[in-house]
Amino acid sequence: MANQVIPLNLASSQPYISIIIPVFNEEENLEELGERLVRTLTAMDRLFEIILVDDGSSDRSWEILTQLHRQHPQNIRALQFHRNFGQHQAIFAGFQAARGRVMVTLDADLQNPPEEIPKLVAKIEEGFDTVGGWRENRQDSIFRKFPSFLINQVMSRVTGVKLRDYGCMLRAYRREVVDSINQCHETSSFIPALANLFSRRVAEIPVGHAERERGYSKYSLLKLLRLNVDFMTGFSNFPIHMVGVLGICISLLGLGFGAYLFLRRLFMGPEVEGVFTLFAILFVFVGLNTFALALVGEYVGRIYREVRGRPRFVIRQELGGEDVRGQEPGAGGQE
Ligand code: UDP
Ligand code: MG
């Protein structure tokens, strides 16, 4: 039943599962990670590849990756960035290199247990396009969890796909979703949200989460904030719309104030020095200015949307027309 959804062709040398892992200064974790991954995936009895992307580490990470590749030349691949480009860029690079039918991303620090991979793959085989892990017992401090809670609310609203945990990188994607992601050329992006844009059926399942035992978190509060500003500006024009609404409100207030002063002048005589009238006029113009700024922002937003060049649509299936396409013009005509 499951194999009807994604055909499993064990005869081909093409891997069925690709695991993509960003690595940035994780020397203490890589050996255990490699060993646990290989053990879990071998037990799944599927052809697999593990792609580790070294995001410009300055410790011994690359050396260890080289060793891992030597130990498992068929299954472990490694890419090395020239310098640190960021976790999401590393995953993009992995996506481009991956050959599997199902792709799974996870962190290198063993906070995402590799033993959960079979659960995610099984869910994809049920027919889902994207399966997110949801860290049920998240082992992080409240200072990490509370901002995450807010971010999940915002992201759910912006993308229209309600998920409990947008921050969890233990996720699985169907090949087609990753193909669409690969066609997006924006430099700053947020993969879980991008994947939702191209997925028809999204599932979320609880997964384990461990404390970081070795190494340190690579995300300071500032870096986290930047990631989220990137996300907000990359996925919605909501902030600029808010500026527009603010501009209109200020203008209306100014007009209201002006009308009140006018009526007051009619019935009670002019106010002292006329300074309030000046204020009312100022309000109207400040409001108009703010509104004009938002309007320009809207156009800039549109330009940005064009420049990103995301695919406008994704075709899932096609009936008819296939036989014509692969042939030379003129071949196969009626003769
Ligand atoms: N990472 C990366 N490049 C970076 C920052 C992080 O490749 O610039 C990797 C890191 O090695 C880990 C994953 O991204 O595999 C998640 O990072 P981390 O565990 O530090 O984040 P946290 O779990 O604290 O959110
Ligand atoms: Mg971590």
Side-chain angles (χ1 to χ4, degrees):
M1 177 61 201
N3 288 348
Q4 280 174 358
V5 182
I6 299 179
L8 167 62
N9 188 2
L10 280 177
S12 95
S13 59
Q14 192 89 344
Y16 177 73
I17 305 175
S18 296
I19 311 288
I20 293 124
I21 305 174
V23 176
F24 182 47
N25 293 341
E26 301 283 0
E27 59 182 2
E28 302 100 324
N29 296 312
L30 290 176
E31 272 152 10
E32 183 182 337
L33 176 75
E35 191 233 314
R36 281 169 65 181
L37 276 169
V38 170
R39 190 168 0 112
T40 309
L41 291 161
T42 310
M44 285 179 77
D45 205 18
R46 304 270 209 272
L47 289 181
F48 68 90
E49 62 178 0
I50 302 166
I51 303 177
L52 294 135
V53 185
D54 179 359
D55 183 16
S57 301
S58 51
D59 64 356
R60 287 180 49 248
S61 292
W62 181 249
E63 245 175 272
I64 302 170
L65 293 186
T66 316
Q67 273 170 27
L68 284 174
H69 167 68
R70 288 214 187 101
Q71 284 162 14
H72 306 275
Q74 300 294 331
N75 295 114
I76 297 192
R77 302 166 61 191
L79 304 174
Q80 187 184 30
F81 275 179
H82 199 59
R83 67 163 178 83
N84 179 247
F85 285 97
Q87 180 189 4
H88 287 255
Q89 305 305 331
I91 297 177
F92 275 123
F95 277 166
Q96 277 178 13
R99 297 167 298 177
R101 300 282 311 130
V102 182
M103 317 260 178
V104 178
T105 56
L106 72 154
D107 288 348
D109 58 358
L110 297 170
Q111 288 197 278
N112 303 138
E115 292 73 20
E116 302 279 11
I117 293 173
K119 262 188 359 201
L120 294 170
V121 174
K123 202 77 187 165
I124 289 276
E125 287 174 345
E126 268 177 41
F128 289 94
D129 297 316
T130 297
V131 180
W134 153 52
R135 293 167 288 188
E136 203 172 13
N137 275 315
R138 185 166 171 188
Q139 304 294 318
D140 278 323
S141 73
I142 185 81
F143 297 105
R144 273 309 285 279
K145 283 199 252 183
F146 184 66
S148 292
F149 169 76
L150 293 180
I151 290 162
N152 285 324
Q153 300 292 319
V154 174
M155 292 204 180
S156 295
R157 185 147 303 181
V158 168
T159 60
V161 181
K162 185 151 178 43
L163 292 186
R164 290 186 213 223
D165 198 350
Y166 268 93
C168 180
M169 288 314 285
L170 178 53
R171 310 173 73 81
Y173 309 94
R174 197 174 274 268
R175 157 110 244 158
E176 290 76 5
V177 174
V178 170
D179 283 341
S180 300
I181 292 177
N182 284 344
Q183 287 180 43
C184 298
H185 300 294
E186 58 219 73
T187 44
S188 46
S189 198
F190 193 80
I191 290 166
L194 203 54
N196 284 351
L197 289 185
F198 301 116
S199 304
R200 199 167 57 144
R201 296 183 70 198
V202 180
E204 199 173 31
I205 57 174
V207 291
H209 191 240
E211 227 169 304
R212 197 187 235 284
E213 285 180 5
R214 282 158 290 180
Y216 58 95
S217 170
K218 311 298 179 304
Y219 279 98
S220 61
L221 210 57
L222 201 71
K223 216 169 153 187
L224 213 61
L225 198 71
R226 212 177 66 195
L227 192 72
N228 287 291
V229 170
D230 265 4
F231 165 76
M232 272 307 278
T233 47
F235 282 84
S236 109
N237 283 351
F238 180 73
I240 204 73
H241 289 159
M242 279 297 96
V243 176
V245 171
L246 188 74
I248 293 174
C249 287
I250 296 175
S251 277
L252 287 180
L253 272 177
L255 282 176
F257 194 35
Y260 163 73
L261 290 177
F262 181 70
L263 290 177
R264 203 186 119 112
R265 181 179 283 245
L266 281 186
F267 294 109
M268 299 171 71
E271 84 268 23
V272 199
E273 311 279 0
V275 68
F276 288 115
T277 311
L278 278 180
F279 262 122
I281 295 169
L282 188 72
F283 264 135
V284 174
F285 280 106
V286 167
L288 282 180
N289 245 322
T290 315
F291 181 69
L293 197 69
L295 204 64
V296 174
E298 184 68 34
Y299 283 105
V300 175
R302 273 160 194 269
I303 295 171
Y304 175 51
R305 206 153 61 206
E306 295 299 325
V307 170
R308 270 191 315 222
R310 282 184 191 162
R312 273 187 297 176
F313 50 78
V314 183
I315 293 175
R316 191 183 176 83
Q317 284 188 50
E318 190 178 338
L319 294 176
E322 304 91 336
D323 48 345
V324 183
R325 201 172 300 151
Q327 294 173 8
E328 294 290 311
Q334 294 162 346
E335 239 124 21

